[in-house]
Amino acid sequence: MDIASFVTSLLTSFLIFVVLVLVFTWLSRRPGNAPVYYPNVLLRGLDPWEGRGRGTRSPVGWIQQAFRASEADVVDAGGVDAAVYLVFLSSVLAILVFSGILLLPVLLPVAATGHALEASAGSNASAAHNFTIIERLALGNVEEGSFRLWAFIGSVYWLSFVTYFVLWKSYKHVSNLRAAARSTSDVKPEEFTVLVRDVPIPPPDQSIKDSVDSYFRALHPDTFYKAMVVTDIKKVYKIFQEIEGHKQKIVHAEAVYAESKTTNKPEGTKPTHKTGFLGLIGKKVDTIEYCNEKIKELLPKLEEEQKNTLSEKQQRAAIVVFNNRAAAASASQTLHAQMFDKWTVTEAPEPREIIWSNLPMKIYDRNTRRSVIYFIVFLTVFFYLIPISAISAVTTLEKLRQKLPFLKVVVDQEIVKTVLQAYLPQLALIVFLALLPALLLFVSKSEGIPSQSHVVRAASGKYFYFIVFNVFLGITISSTLFSALKTIIENPTGIIDMLGRSLPGSATFFLTFVALKFFVGYGLELSRLVPLIIFHLKKKYLCKTEDEVRAAWTPGDLGYNTRVPSDMLIVTIVLCYSVIAPLIIPFGVAYFALGWLIAKNQVLRVYVPSYESNGRMWPHMHTRIIAALMIYQATMIGVITLKKFVYSSVLIPLIPISLIFAYTCHTRFYPAFAKTPLEVARQELKETPNMGAIYAAYIPPCLKPEKLEDVEVFEDAQSRTTSRAPSF
């Protein structure tokens, strides 16, 4: 990519960002758009305009509010997970800022005063003038064997130790944040419960519920409260959803009927619909009467199926409730059975994030599925190299002209050439990378993972490995893809030399990619144009009730399964090019500074958490950053070695140092993330917990009794004996 295309891409992306920010400022002032720009505020029962003076309505008013908001405000609005995500963004930002303070003033002059590019061009004056300013300010302009390379070696060490320092401080901060959240005086159902899987087959005269009750009452006689056995709810859930659908149709039809009553026609017109496929065919019926009749018909079926599900469809997993938090924490960390494949006890997920269909899965099934899915992920990573390689071909128009000669007439046009080089490769890569997280989320769920937050963490890890393999092998060396794979298989250590040869040539591509991501991507995130258009279309043409309007603007959560891997891609890119092409550091700083600012604004105003794992994602973020750092260190060993610098081996100790640092952090901090420390769980509660409400929180909606006192009847329906514990 020439400098004209790079500047064109950069300026256009910046202009788009400015326009989108101004659009956001204008649209967010209009009260009719409050459900799109302030849904979190509205759902918390607050007035989005309260306390907003003239200054907050300026284009930078939202920036002032984001900076003024404390971490406690973030936790109140978006939970600990959102606060930890902001810590991740600020940590990477701190790494880049502290590193850039030294790297930019030192490396840019060293590279600019080098003459390696002119020497490589020789007597060819036109070739010498073809080198861009980006190439002249990069490591490639330093002569082989030059003592100037000491500056680059020192910079690698500086960035590495800055990363160690920032990550250590951040890990300690997040650990304290998680402990504070777990020791709060508020009553949370998941803190009183454990998840029990791999329950043995009970004797013929006992139900699974009876077996679980007797087992835990014997082992925890003073602290065991109740157990709820997981059941197969597919059929009852289907009936329940059908009834709920009819109820919603009745409310909608009544609203339409009320609107039809006018002065000239006070009796109105009752809504009708056809009973056939998608309401397009079949008998036409009165919607209200028809739905009421269907509900009356389905209610007895629901009641009968609920009883059958509770007594006859019990599965070998359970939620066990204890009467205090410390007892539950202790039970989750205790080995209950002599055989590893029986009575597997872990901390229970939040009620709203449980994946019920995965709970009964046996340990052998889970392990087998995990192995199969990792093999599928490996195949996905490999075959994704094909489209990624095609993208790489577009990044160099000379390749495109060679492979497709009939396009010469088109690509030789100056305007077309500039647009192709400036936008198409980066946009195509972004589209391909956007498709994968949904697939990885699906396959991770198939592993038998019990909670949504765990699925997100698993999918995020798989995506990280994908981008490392595809971005650093697919993009940089795609022209010799299969020969590269052969080299790696035959000589695994050869990947360091391969990265050293290939990465410097793709610096301009990745500079543009990062700029496009933060200017256009964050501009669209802030402006929320797509959700705004969808909301107003639904409100005007589809929504007739308050519940339907609320469903139209409910924003969902931050979407960590796509956000975190995308950010990790930028971390990997910026770290690996920070010394090779130091100009990427300001782009990385801009990406994470804007990301932190806009994410904080969205957490405070827009997104609503769908679960709370109390920062359980952080150890995975920390590990991936360390992995990106080690890729960077290995790459720099290869780059400096290729420069024929005899002291390049000085960089080798950095890799074991990184491993030692990762191990130290894991040993010191991770256990408190994997398990809840008893000193945290034993903190006093501000009120006596309602154990019945805690137990009821885990009952699926399709089985939940209408009244809390009916929970006792629900429990008895699962048992063949009278084993109910006394209520507190």
Side-chain angles (χ1 to χ4, degrees):
M1 179 185 292
D2 57 32
I3 194 64
S5 299
F6 173 73
V7 173
T8 299
S9 173
L10 188 62
L11 292 179
T12 308
S13 299
F14 177 73
L15 181 62
I16 292 172
F17 176 75
V18 171
V19 170
L20 289 174
V21 170
L22 294 176
V23 167
F24 159 76
T25 304
W26 178 62
L27 291 175
S28 62
R29 296 177 181 179
R30 304 173 67 87
N33 295 333
V36 176
Y37 293 104
Y38 306 99
N40 182 295
V41 178
L42 294 174
L43 289 174
R44 286 187 287 149
L46 303 176
D47 182 0
W49 315 108
E50 183 179 355
R52 302 183 68 216
R54 293 171 62 90
T56 60
R57 292 179 179 271
S58 69
V60 297
W62 63 276
I63 299 177
Q64 296 171 354
Q65 291 183 346
F67 274 112
R68 284 201 300 264
S70 65
E71 189 171 65
D73 296 328
V74 172
V75 172
D76 289 340
V80 177
D81 288 333
V84 168
Y85 175 66
L86 293 178
V87 171
F88 159 68
L89 295 178
S90 61
S91 298
V92 179
L93 177 61
I95 291 170
L96 296 179
V97 169
F98 290 134
S99 300
I101 290 174
L102 180 66
L103 266 59
L104 291 174
V106 171
L107 297 186
L108 292 181
V110 171
T113 54
H115 304 287
L117 296 178
E118 286 82 355
S120 65
S123 59
N124 191 341
S126 61
H129 287 294
N130 286 336
F131 295 117
T132 65
I133 186 65
I134 298 172
E135 293 170 318
R136 294 179 184 276
L137 295 176
L139 176 60
N141 198 32
V142 178
E143 295 85 350
E144 293 181 353
S146 171
F147 276 90
R148 293 168 178 259
L149 292 171
W150 275 114
F152 293 89
I153 290 177
S155 297
V156 176
Y157 268 91
W158 170 253
L159 190 149
S160 298
F161 280 94
V162 166
T163 303
Y164 302 147
F165 174 77
V166 172
L167 288 183
W168 180 270
K169 300 288 287 186
S170 298
Y171 215 142
K172 187 175 181 180
H173 174 67
V174 173
S175 182
N176 293 334
L177 191 63
R178 175 178 168 84
R182 298 289 288 183
S183 61
T184 180
S185 58
D186 296 329
V187 176
K188 301 174 184 177
E190 64 274 13
E191 295 178 355
F192 290 82
T193 54
V194 297
L195 171 62
V196 182
R197 308 174 83 177
D198 306 306
V199 176
I201 299 174
D205 60 334
Q206 280 190 337
S207 67
I208 296 177
K209 159 71 173 169
D210 298 329
S211 175
V212 174
D213 278 346
S214 61
Y215 185 80
F216 278 89
R217 185 171 288 114
L219 294 179
H220 306 275
D222 298 325
T223 55
F224 171 75
Y225 175 64
K226 287 181 181 179
M228 182 187 70
V229 173
V230 175
T231 55
D232 183 358
I233 61 173
K234 292 179 183 177
K235 188 173 181 180
V236 70
Y237 180 76
K238 183 178 179 180
I239 299 173
F240 176 79
Q241 286 294 97
E242 194 173 349
I243 292 174
E244 291 298 308
H246 286 306
K247 289 180 179 179
Q248 293 173 7
K249 288 179 182 178
I250 290 173
V251 175
H252 180 88
E254 287 175 343
V256 173
Y257 181 41
E259 282 185 1
S260 69
K261 296 178 180 180
T262 62
T263 305
N264 297 330
K265 194 177 181 181
E267 69 279 5
T269 303
K270 286 193 172 183
T272 61
H273 72 279
K274 294 182 179 180
T275 59
F277 179 71
L278 296 177
L280 301 175
I281 59 175
K283 180 183 177 182
K284 182 177 285 189
V285 296
D286 182 304
T287 300
I288 297 175
E289 293 180 0
Y290 176 81
C291 290
N292 277 319
E293 291 175 0
K294 294 296 290 184
I295 290 175
K296 291 179 181 179
E297 178 185 327
L298 289 170
L299 280 175
K301 293 183 179 180
L302 176 64
E303 185 177 349
E304 181 65 27
E305 186 58 34
Q306 285 176 333
K307 293 179 181 178
N308 185 52
T309 299
L310 291 173
S311 60
E312 304 299 332
K313 296 185 178 181
Q314 297 183 17
Q315 298 182 308
R316 293 165 60 185
I319 299 292
V320 175
V321 184
F322 291 84
N323 58 26
N324 65 77
R325 297 193 297 189
S330 178
S332 69
Q333 301 173 44
T334 302
L335 183 64
H336 282 72
Q338 185 175 354
M339 304 302 293
F340 83 100
D341 59 346
K342 294 180 180 179
W343 300 106
T344 304
V345 181
T346 59
E347 292 184 355
E350 246 192 346
R352 56 181 172 173
E353 68 159 335
I354 286 183
I355 304 174
W356 293 101
S357 59
N358 284 352
L359 299 189
M361 203 174 292
K362 299 177 183 178
I363 189 169
Y364 297 108
D365 292 340
R366 300 197 297 269
N367 292 338
T368 302
R369 282 172 175 250
R370 188 178 300 114
S371 300
V372 171
I373 285 169
Y374 274 107
F375 178 69
I376 292 173
V377 170
F378 170 78
L379 294 179
T380 303
V381 168
F382 178 79
F383 286 111
Y384 245 71
L385 281 171
I386 297 174
I388 293 293
S389 300
I391 295 171
S392 182
V394 181
T395 64
T396 306
L397 286 183
E398 290 302 320
K399 295 180 183 178
L400 190 63
R401 294 172 79 255
Q402 293 173 7
K403 301 294 183 182
L404 303 172
F406 62 89
L407 291 179
K408 288 182 179 180
V409 178
V410 178
V411 299
D412 285 345
Q413 298 292 324
E414 193 62 30
I415 296 178
V416 175
K417 179 180 179 181
T418 300
V419 170
L420 284 175
Q421 288 185 325
Y423 292 109
L424 283 184
Q426 292 77 16
L427 287 174
L429 180 58
I430 289 172
V431 169
F432 274 112
L433 294 179
L435 294 176
L436 192 63
L439 172 64
L440 295 180
L441 202 64
F442 171 77
V443 298
S444 296
K445 184 177 179 180
S446 302
E447 291 182 31
I449 293 173
S451 66
Q452 190 63 34
S453 60
H454 192 173
V455 167
V456 169
R457 296 196 300 271
S460 177
K462 295 178 180 69
Y463 191 83
F464 175 79
Y465 299 127
F466 167 85
I467 60 175
V468 167
F469 190 83
N470 280 282
V471 170
F472 289 96
L473 291 182
I475 292 294
T476 59
I477 57 175
S478 61
S479 59
T480 58
L481 171 63
F482 294 103
S483 61
L485 290 175
K486 182 179 178 182
T487 301
I488 294 172
I489 292 171
E490 294 177 352
N491 180 22
T493 59
I495 191 173
I496 295 178
D497 288 339
M498 192 181 304
L499 289 173
R501 295 179 188 275
S502 305
L503 279 178
S506 302
T508 307
F509 170 86
F510 285 118
L511 278 170
T512 311
F513 177 74
V514 174
L516 189 64
K517 286 276 288 184
F518 72 76
F519 276 141
V520 179
Y522 283 142
L524 290 171
E525 166 74 22
L526 183 66
S527 65
R528 289 182 60 79
L529 290 179
V530 175
L532 180 70
I533 294 170
I534 293 174
F535 166 69
H536 282 294
L537 288 175
K538 285 184 175 181
K539 184 179 179 182
K540 183 175 180 62
Y541 297 107
L542 300 177
C543 300
K544 299 297 181 182
T545 67
E546 288 297 323
D547 288 341
E548 290 175 342
V549 173
R550 174 169 292 191
W553 57 257
T554 300
D557 60 19
L558 272 168
Y560 298 105
N561 63 301
T562 55
R563 281 181 181 269
V564 174
S566 297
D567 293 336
M568 285 296 179
L569 170 60
I570 304 301
V571 172
T572 307
I573 290 172
V574 176
L575 287 183
C576 286
Y577 281 96
S578 58
V579 173
I580 294 174
L583 281 180
I584 203 172
I585 294 177
F587 289 87
V589 169
Y591 177 89
F592 287 100
L594 275 176
W596 177 86
L597 192 63
I598 292 174
K600 192 172 185 181
N601 177 79
Q602 304 301 77
V603 166
L604 294 170
R605 297 180 173 185
V606 179
Y607 294 114
V608 178
S610 58
Y611 60 80
E612 177 61 80
S613 68
N614 293 304
R616 189 65 177 78
M617 186 78 164
W618 173 257
H620 297 260
M621 295 174 174
H622 177 272
T623 302
R624 307 297 178 249
I625 295 174
I626 293 294
L629 179 69
M630 293 180 65
I631 294 170
Y632 153 72
Q633 292 167 344
T635 301
M636 290 310 303
I637 292 173
V639 170
I640 301 297
T641 300
L642 290 172
K643 282 290 185 178
K644 299 179 181 179
F645 191 57
V646 294
Y647 300 104
S648 61
S649 58
V650 172
L651 291 173
I652 294 177
L654 279 175
I655 293 181
I657 290 173
S658 295
L659 290 172
I660 293 171
F661 174 77
Y663 175 77
T664 303
C665 288
H666 182 86
T667 304
R668 182 179 178 87
F669 297 112
Y670 182 74
F673 284 80
K675 303 290 184 182
T676 301
L678 291 181
E679 67 177 8
V680 172
R682 65 180 294 274
Q683 298 297 318
E684 295 293 330
L685 298 172
K686 64 181 179 182
E687 60 183 25
T688 302
N690 184 337
M691 301 306 300
I694 291 173
Y695 181 84
Y698 281 94
I699 301 176
C702 58
L703 296 176
K704 186 169 291 187
E706 293 184 3
K707 299 178 182 179
L708 185 59
E709 52 266 25
D710 293 336
V711 169
E712 306 289 6
V713 179
F714 168 87
E715 186 190 9
D716 288 343
Q718 289 194 322
S719 178
R720 294 178 186 171
T721 62
T722 305
S723 60
R724 182 172 2 111
S727 300
F728 283 76

